[in-house]
Amino acid sequence: MMKKTITAVMIVAALSGCARQNATTGEDETNTATKSAIGGAIAGALIGAATGKKNAAIYGAVGGAAIGGGIGYYFDRQEEALRQELTGSGVQVKRVGENELQLIMAKGIGFKTAGYNLSSDIHSSLNSVAKILNEYPKSSLRIVGHTDSVGSAESNLTLSEERAESVSEYLNKRGIKSGRLSTRGYGERRPIVSNKTKDGRAANRRVEITITAS
């Protein structure tokens, strides 16, 4: 069993060498898929070794690498498609870790004080997001609502949840299945700027969208 486990570790080491080579050449597009393959190989090898079955560690490493690499490649393609679709829209696509994307909107998703209806100037950007996410159905969206500090903490918490739901409902109507969408509200607890000015309060009335691998 020890020999088989060592062989599995060698598979992981070979993948790690690929990752270092990619990092050296600066090919970040493929580096994410390679990292995912490494993670999958490690997990597969450990699970396989734990079963105690013949060659389980090797098969686990190979299978885990294939699954992990596939997820990484899929997510890389999705990121590229979003960047192309959202060029010039004012929406930035930020990679966070290996399998997470944040959509950063230059003007945020604006709401009036105490309101949760979407402003019409954000519809075009959300339509573009929905278009790509419908082409890549194996990812999920986490939608988080926020408010300024006007009003009570309790009412702001409810309002932030309603704002997140507004975005979720809009995307759902454009084809994204409800099972891929999750919402949460943080009320006034997570401002990005001071609430002491009108512009600051407007910036804090927002919804943030994070895309993760399912």
Side-chain angles (χ1 to χ4, degrees):
M1 177 177 175
M2 180 62 71
K3 183 178 179 181
K4 304 304 182 182
T5 303
I6 291 173
T7 303
V9 172
M10 290 173 66
I11 295 172
V12 176
L15 287 169
S16 299
C18 293
R20 285 193 294 270
Q21 182 180 5
N22 287 339
T24 301
T25 57
E27 297 178 1
D28 293 333
E29 309 86 23
T30 57
N31 196 37
T32 297
T34 304
K35 287 180 179 179
S36 296
I38 293 170
I42 293 172
L46 292 174
I47 293 171
T51 66
K53 295 181 179 180
K54 185 178 180 181
N55 296 328
I58 295 175
Y59 295 147
V62 174
I67 294 171
I71 293 172
Y73 178 73
Y74 182 90
F75 213 71
D76 287 343
R77 293 292 300 273
Q78 182 179 220
E79 177 185 7
E80 181 182 356
L82 280 167
R83 291 187 186 279
Q84 291 180 353
E85 180 67 26
L86 294 171
T87 298
S89 68
V91 181
Q92 297 178 356
V93 182
K94 180 181 179 181
R95 190 66 170 258
V96 181
E98 294 179 14
N99 296 319
E100 183 173 301
L101 298 171
Q102 287 183 351
L103 301 184
I104 303 172
M105 304 191 180
K107 296 181 180 180
I109 299 180
F111 299 91
K112 295 181 179 180
T113 298
Y116 58 87
N117 293 321
L118 287 174
S119 56
S120 59
D121 59 357
I122 205 65
H123 289 176
S124 177
S125 295
L126 290 179
N127 290 343
S128 295
V129 171
K131 174 185 175 182
I132 300 302
L133 267 295
N134 281 320
E135 295 174 2
Y136 289 83
K138 296 180 181 179
S139 56
S140 302
L141 281 78
R142 183 170 68 249
I143 305 167
V144 179
H146 303 271
T147 72
D148 58 28
S149 59
V150 177
S152 68
E154 183 178 359
S155 63
N156 281 334
L157 179 60
T158 300
L159 181 58
S160 66
E161 293 168 348
E162 291 172 332
R163 287 175 175 170
E165 285 293 336
S166 290
V167 175
S168 178
E169 289 173 5
Y170 187 92
L171 293 174
N172 179 241
K173 289 178 180 178
R174 275 142 190 85
I176 299 180
K177 294 181 179 180
S178 58
R180 301 174 60 193
L181 299 163
S182 64
T183 61
R184 182 170 182 176
Y186 281 104
E188 61 189 66
R189 289 181 290 168
R190 296 187 176 184
I192 53 176
V193 292
S194 172
N195 278 301
K196 294 181 179 180
T197 66
K198 180 179 179 180
D199 289 342
R201 290 189 293 275
N204 289 329
R205 297 192 295 268
R206 70 196 192 280
V207 167
E208 298 170 343
I209 301 175
T210 301
I211 302 169
T212 57
S214 298

mmCIF file of all heavy atoms in Angstrom, residues 63-90:
data_model
loop_
_atom_site.group_PDB
_atom_site.id
_atom_site.type_symbol
_atom_site.label_atom_id
_atom_site.label_comp_id
_atom_site.label_asym_id
_atom_site.label_seq_id
_atom_site.Cartn_x
_atom_site.Cartn_y
_atom_site.Cartn_z
ATOM 1 N N GLY A 63 -8.144 10.162 -10.901
ATOM 2 C CA GLY A 63 -9.529 10.603 -11.042
ATOM 3 C C GLY A 63 -9.752 11.985 -10.471
ATOM 4 O O GLY A 63 -10.426 12.824 -11.068
ATOM 5 N N GLY A 64 -9.153 12.238 -9.307
ATOM 6 C CA GLY A 64 -9.294 13.556 -8.690
ATOM 7 C C GLY A 64 -8.672 14.640 -9.530
ATOM 8 O O GLY A 64 -9.194 15.750 -9.651
ATOM 9 N N ALA A 65 -7.526 14.347 -10.150
ATOM 10 C CA ALA A 65 -6.864 15.328 -11.013
ATOM 11 C C ALA A 65 -7.724 15.663 -12.215
ATOM 12 O O ALA A 65 -7.849 16.827 -12.621
ATOM 13 C CB ALA A 65 -5.511 14.790 -11.470
ATOM 14 N N ALA A 66 -8.345 14.633 -12.795
ATOM 15 C CA ALA A 66 -9.198 14.860 -13.963
ATOM 16 C C ALA A 66 -10.398 15.727 -13.618
ATOM 17 O O ALA A 66 -10.744 16.662 -14.346
ATOM 18 C CB ALA A 66 -9.667 13.515 -14.522
ATOM 19 N N ILE A 67 -11.029 15.419 -12.489
ATOM 20 C CA ILE A 67 -12.196 16.198 -12.066
ATOM 21 C C ILE A 67 -11.801 17.634 -11.735
ATOM 22 O O ILE A 67 -12.423 18.593 -12.183
ATOM 23 C CB ILE A 67 -12.874 15.536 -10.855
ATOM 24 C CG1 ILE A 67 -13.465 14.186 -11.262
ATOM 25 C CG2 ILE A 67 -13.969 16.433 -10.279
ATOM 26 C CD1 ILE A 67 -13.970 13.360 -10.099
ATOM 27 N N GLY A 68 -10.738 17.775 -10.931
ATOM 28 C CA GLY A 68 -10.300 19.110 -10.532
ATOM 29 C C GLY A 68 -9.865 19.948 -11.712
ATOM 30 O O GLY A 68 -10.192 21.128 -11.821
ATOM 31 N N GLY A 69 -9.109 19.327 -12.632
ATOM 32 C CA GLY A 69 -8.656 20.063 -13.814
ATOM 33 C C GLY A 69 -9.817 20.492 -14.678
ATOM 34 O O GLY A 69 -9.818 21.582 -15.250
ATOM 35 N N GLY A 70 -10.841 19.611 -14.783
ATOM 36 C CA GLY A 70 -12.009 19.955 -15.575
ATOM 37 C C GLY A 70 -12.756 21.145 -15.010
ATOM 38 O O GLY A 70 -13.196 22.024 -15.745
ATOM 39 N N ILE A 71 -12.894 21.199 -13.692
ATOM 40 C CA ILE A 71 -13.567 22.320 -13.039
ATOM 41 C C ILE A 71 -12.799 23.613 -13.287
ATOM 42 O O ILE A 71 -13.377 24.652 -13.610
ATOM 43 C CB ILE A 71 -13.706 22.066 -11.533
ATOM 44 C CG1 ILE A 71 -14.677 20.901 -11.283
ATOM 45 C CG2 ILE A 71 -14.184 23.323 -10.805
ATOM 46 C CD1 ILE A 71 -14.745 20.456 -9.847
ATOM 47 N N GLY A 72 -11.467 23.539 -13.139
ATOM 48 C CA GLY A 72 -10.649 24.729 -13.345
ATOM 49 C C GLY A 72 -10.753 25.251 -14.762
ATOM 50 O O GLY A 72 -10.874 26.455 -14.990
ATOM 51 N N TYR A 73 -10.733 24.352 -15.742
ATOM 52 C CA TYR A 73 -10.830 24.742 -17.148
ATOM 53 C C TYR A 73 -12.185 25.371 -17.436
ATOM 54 O O TYR A 73 -12.279 26.392 -18.115
ATOM 55 C CB TYR A 73 -10.608 23.517 -18.036
ATOM 56 C CG TYR A 73 -10.726 23.804 -19.509
ATOM 57 C CD1 TYR A 73 -9.730 24.507 -20.191
ATOM 58 C CD2 TYR A 73 -11.850 23.385 -20.234
ATOM 59 C CE1 TYR A 73 -9.837 24.774 -21.545
ATOM 60 C CE2 TYR A 73 -11.965 23.651 -21.583
ATOM 61 C CZ TYR A 73 -10.957 24.343 -22.231
ATOM 62 O OH TYR A 73 -11.077 24.612 -23.577
ATOM 63 N N TYR A 74 -13.233 24.743 -16.917
ATOM 64 C CA TYR A 74 -14.593 25.256 -17.100
ATOM 65 C C TYR A 74 -14.713 26.671 -16.550
ATOM 66 O O TYR A 74 -15.287 27.559 -17.181
ATOM 67 C CB TYR A 74 -15.572 24.320 -16.383
ATOM 68 C CG TYR A 74 -17.033 24.684 -16.522
ATOM 69 C CD1 TYR A 74 -17.805 24.180 -17.571
ATOM 70 C CD2 TYR A 74 -17.657 25.508 -15.588
ATOM 71 C CE1 TYR A 74 -19.144 24.491 -17.682
ATOM 72 C CE2 TYR A 74 -18.995 25.824 -15.699
ATOM 73 C CZ TYR A 74 -19.740 25.311 -16.742
ATOM 74 O OH TYR A 74 -21.069 25.633 -16.855
ATOM 75 N N PHE A 75 -14.139 26.899 -15.375
ATOM 76 C CA PHE A 75 -14.242 28.210 -14.738
ATOM 77 C C PHE A 75 -13.417 29.249 -15.480
ATOM 78 O O PHE A 75 -13.804 30.417 -15.579
ATOM 79 C CB PHE A 75 -13.793 28.113 -13.279
ATOM 80 C CG PHE A 75 -14.541 29.044 -12.367
ATOM 81 C CD1 PHE A 75 -15.870 28.820 -12.061
ATOM 82 C CD2 PHE A 75 -13.923 30.152 -11.817
ATOM 83 C CE1 PHE A 75 -16.569 29.684 -11.232
ATOM 84 C CE2 PHE A 75 -14.615 31.012 -10.994
ATOM 85 C CZ PHE A 75 -15.940 30.781 -10.693
ATOM 86 N N ASP A 76 -12.270 28.844 -16.018
ATOM 87 C CA ASP A 76 -11.449 29.756 -16.818
ATOM 88 C C ASP A 76 -12.215 30.229 -18.047
ATOM 89 O O ASP A 76 -12.183 31.409 -18.401
ATOM 90 C CB ASP A 76 -10.155 29.068 -17.253
ATOM 91 C CG ASP A 76 -9.165 28.890 -16.116
ATOM 92 O OD1 ASP A 76 -9.328 29.564 -15.080
ATOM 93 O OD2 ASP A 76 -8.235 28.075 -16.255
ATOM 94 N N ARG A 77 -12.894 29.295 -18.716
ATOM 95 C CA ARG A 77 -13.666 29.647 -19.914
ATOM 96 C C ARG A 77 -14.814 30.587 -19.569
ATOM 97 O O ARG A 77 -15.120 31.519 -20.315
ATOM 98 C CB ARG A 77 -14.203 28.368 -20.573
ATOM 99 C CG ARG A 77 -13.153 27.458 -21.170
ATOM 100 C CD ARG A 77 -12.485 28.088 -22.383
ATOM 101 N NE ARG A 77 -13.460 28.371 -23.426
ATOM 102 C CZ ARG A 77 -13.833 27.495 -24.349
ATOM 103 N NH1 ARG A 77 -13.316 26.279 -24.357
ATOM 104 N NH2 ARG A 77 -14.716 27.823 -25.276
ATOM 105 N N GLN A 78 -15.449 30.332 -18.445
ATOM 106 C CA GLN A 78 -16.554 31.178 -18.003
ATOM 107 C C GLN A 78 -16.059 32.595 -17.714
ATOM 108 O O GLN A 78 -16.713 33.579 -18.094
ATOM 109 C CB GLN A 78 -17.189 30.584 -16.746
ATOM 110 C CG GLN A 78 -18.373 31.367 -16.223
ATOM 111 C CD GLN A 78 -18.971 30.722 -14.994
ATOM 112 O OE1 GLN A 78 -20.173 30.675 -14.824
ATOM 113 N NE2 GLN A 78 -18.135 30.211 -14.111
ATOM 114 N N GLU A 79 -14.920 32.707 -17.058
ATOM 115 C CA GLU A 79 -14.350 34.021 -16.762
ATOM 116 C C GLU A 79 -14.056 34.782 -18.046
ATOM 117 O O GLU A 79 -14.374 35.976 -18.175
ATOM 118 C CB GLU A 79 -13.071 33.865 -15.939
ATOM 119 C CG GLU A 79 -12.387 35.195 -15.645
ATOM 120 C CD GLU A 79 -11.048 35.009 -14.941
ATOM 121 O OE1 GLU A 79 -10.592 33.856 -14.793
ATOM 122 O OE2 GLU A 79 -10.452 36.037 -14.550
ATOM 123 N N GLU A 80 -13.453 34.102 -19.009
ATOM 124 C CA GLU A 80 -13.124 34.737 -20.285
ATOM 125 C C GLU A 80 -14.379 35.229 -21.001
ATOM 126 O O GLU A 80 -14.418 36.343 -21.544
ATOM 127 C CB GLU A 80 -12.372 33.750 -21.177
ATOM 128 C CG GLU A 80 -11.954 34.332 -22.522
ATOM 129 C CD GLU A 80 -11.251 33.313 -23.399
ATOM 130 O OE1 GLU A 80 -11.017 32.176 -22.932
ATOM 131 O OE2 GLU A 80 -10.932 33.648 -24.553
ATOM 132 N N ALA A 81 -15.426 34.413 -20.996
ATOM 133 C CA ALA A 81 -16.674 34.784 -21.649
ATOM 134 C C ALA A 81 -17.312 36.003 -20.979
ATOM 135 O O ALA A 81 -17.830 36.907 -21.653
ATOM 136 C CB ALA A 81 -17.652 33.603 -21.629
ATOM 137 N N LEU A 82 -17.283 36.048 -19.648
ATOM 138 C CA LEU A 82 -17.833 37.192 -18.926
ATOM 139 C C LEU A 82 -17.061 38.465 -19.240
ATOM 140 O O LEU A 82 -17.653 39.534 -19.453
ATOM 141 C CB LEU A 82 -17.812 36.923 -17.425
ATOM 142 C CG LEU A 82 -18.942 36.051 -16.866
ATOM 143 C CD1 LEU A 82 -18.620 35.615 -15.446
ATOM 144 C CD2 LEU A 82 -20.274 36.789 -16.905
ATOM 145 N N ARG A 83 -15.739 38.365 -19.268
ATOM 146 C CA ARG A 83 -14.922 39.551 -19.558
ATOM 147 C C ARG A 83 -15.235 40.097 -20.946
ATOM 148 O O ARG A 83 -15.350 41.313 -21.141
ATOM 149 C CB ARG A 83 -13.433 39.214 -19.438
ATOM 150 C CG ARG A 83 -12.971 38.943 -18.015
ATOM 151 C CD ARG A 83 -11.455 38.772 -17.941
ATOM 152 N NE ARG A 83 -11.028 38.381 -16.612
ATOM 153 C CZ ARG A 83 -10.865 39.208 -15.587
ATOM 154 N NH1 ARG A 83 -11.113 40.506 -15.764
ATOM 155 N NH2 ARG A 83 -10.462 38.774 -14.409
ATOM 156 N N GLN A 84 -15.375 39.222 -21.915
ATOM 157 C CA GLN A 84 -15.668 39.662 -23.278
ATOM 158 C C GLN A 84 -17.055 40.283 -23.375
ATOM 159 O O GLN A 84 -17.245 41.328 -24.009
ATOM 160 C CB GLN A 84 -15.542 38.477 -24.236
ATOM 161 C CG GLN A 84 -14.111 37.982 -24.420
ATOM 162 C CD GLN A 84 -14.027 36.809 -25.376
ATOM 163 O OE1 GLN A 84 -15.046 36.268 -25.826
ATOM 164 N NE2 GLN A 84 -12.807 36.387 -25.694
ATOM 165 N N GLU A 85 -18.026 39.642 -22.748
ATOM 166 C CA GLU A 85 -19.401 40.126 -22.816
ATOM 167 C C GLU A 85 -19.583 41.458 -22.098
ATOM 168 O O GLU A 85 -20.367 42.307 -22.528
ATOM 169 C CB GLU A 85 -20.346 39.079 -22.212
ATOM 170 C CG GLU A 85 -21.815 39.460 -22.224
ATOM 171 C CD GLU A 85 -22.386 39.527 -23.631
ATOM 172 O OE1 GLU A 85 -21.848 38.836 -24.525
ATOM 173 O OE2 GLU A 85 -23.383 40.243 -23.832
ATOM 174 N N LEU A 86 -18.838 41.674 -21.012
ATOM 175 C CA LEU A 86 -19.027 42.857 -20.177
ATOM 176 C C LEU A 86 -18.056 43.992 -20.504
ATOM 177 O O LEU A 86 -18.051 45.008 -19.824
ATOM 178 C CB LEU A 86 -18.889 42.473 -18.702
ATOM 179 C CG LEU A 86 -19.984 41.527 -18.178
ATOM 180 C CD1 LEU A 86 -19.648 41.032 -16.776
ATOM 181 C CD2 LEU A 86 -21.347 42.209 -18.181
ATOM 182 N N THR A 87 -17.245 43.825 -21.549
ATOM 183 C CA THR A 87 -16.332 44.890 -21.961
ATOM 184 C C THR A 87 -17.101 46.162 -22.298
ATOM 185 O O THR A 87 -18.049 46.141 -23.075
ATOM 186 C CB THR A 87 -15.505 44.456 -23.190
ATOM 187 O OG1 THR A 87 -14.703 43.332 -22.840
ATOM 188 C CG2 THR A 87 -14.598 45.594 -23.652
ATOM 189 N N GLY A 88 -16.701 47.258 -21.684
ATOM 190 C CA GLY A 88 -17.351 48.541 -21.935
ATOM 191 C C GLY A 88 -18.648 48.751 -21.189
ATOM 192 O O GLY A 88 -19.287 49.794 -21.353
ATOM 193 N N SER A 89 -19.042 47.793 -20.367
ATOM 194 C CA SER A 89 -20.317 47.898 -19.644
ATOM 195 C C SER A 89 -20.170 48.593 -18.294
ATOM 196 O O SER A 89 -21.166 48.914 -17.647
ATOM 197 C CB SER A 89 -20.902 46.502 -19.420
ATOM 198 O OG SER A 89 -20.103 45.769 -18.502
ATOM 199 N N GLY A 90 -18.918 48.807 -17.876
ATOM 200 C CA GLY A 90 -18.691 49.373 -16.555
ATOM 201 C C GLY A 90 -18.628 48.324 -15.469
ATOM 202 O O GLY A 90 -18.475 48.645 -14.290
#
